[in-house]
Amino acid sequence: MEEEATQEQEDAHAQSLRQARTQNAKGEDSKSAPISDEEIEKLEKLAANREKIVTFVLTPIIAGGNALLNYIGIGSIPILGDVIDLGAGAALSGFLFTLEGHPRWKAQLLVWGLTAVELIPAADIVSPQAIGAGLALFIAWRAGTAAQEKLDQLRGA
């Protein structure tokens, strides 16, 4: 039942986007240029990033947990702290890999770059991984919001 309702909503959504494209192609809406199916698909994927609840919940938990381990002193043990930092970086990377489009690669660069900073002795006092995870999620959320606004604009909602 739910799958059928979801499919009907997706079909209605696709139909409204096609209608908006047709109107744009006919010149009925002079404010925006015609948009291709590929562009709409990209926008839908970016907008779907905001619905990755597991990523948006577990990423801050992992980054915060790693920061907590650093603050209580476990992260300062030379080899153990580095292994924990690398493990947290891999876990964060895995969750952020579920994102679509350009936010995925920006998030990966941020997380791995700041994981490398975590390996520098005493640099993890400011918790670079937690900062990177927060910035990565902000980038994904902002891109998803912008894409959703553009899709809504295309639909005429």
Side-chain angles (χ1 to χ4, degrees), residues 116-133:
V117 172
E118 284 267 356
L119 300 176
I120 298 171
D124 52 4
I125 289 175
V126 294
S127 190
Q129 269 183 344
I131 294 169

Side-chain angles (χ1 to χ4, degrees), residues 104-147:
R104 172 191 292 177
W105 304 114
K106 287 181 179 180
Q108 295 295 325
L109 285 172
L110 266 170
V111 166
W112 283 113
L114 293 173
T115 296
V117 172
E118 284 267 356
L119 300 176
I120 298 171
D124 52 4
I125 289 175
V126 294
S127 190
Q129 269 183 344
I131 294 169
L135 287 172
L137 293 177
F138 175 74
I139 289 168
W141 187 264
R142 189 179 68 190
T145 301

Side-chain angles (χ1 to χ4, degrees), residues 28-44:
E28 294 176 14
D29 185 4
S30 60
K31 292 181 182 177
S32 60
I35 191 162
S36 69
D37 288 338
E38 291 176 11
E39 186 69 25
I40 288 175
E41 187 176 325
K42 285 181 185 178
L43 289 172
E44 287 174 342

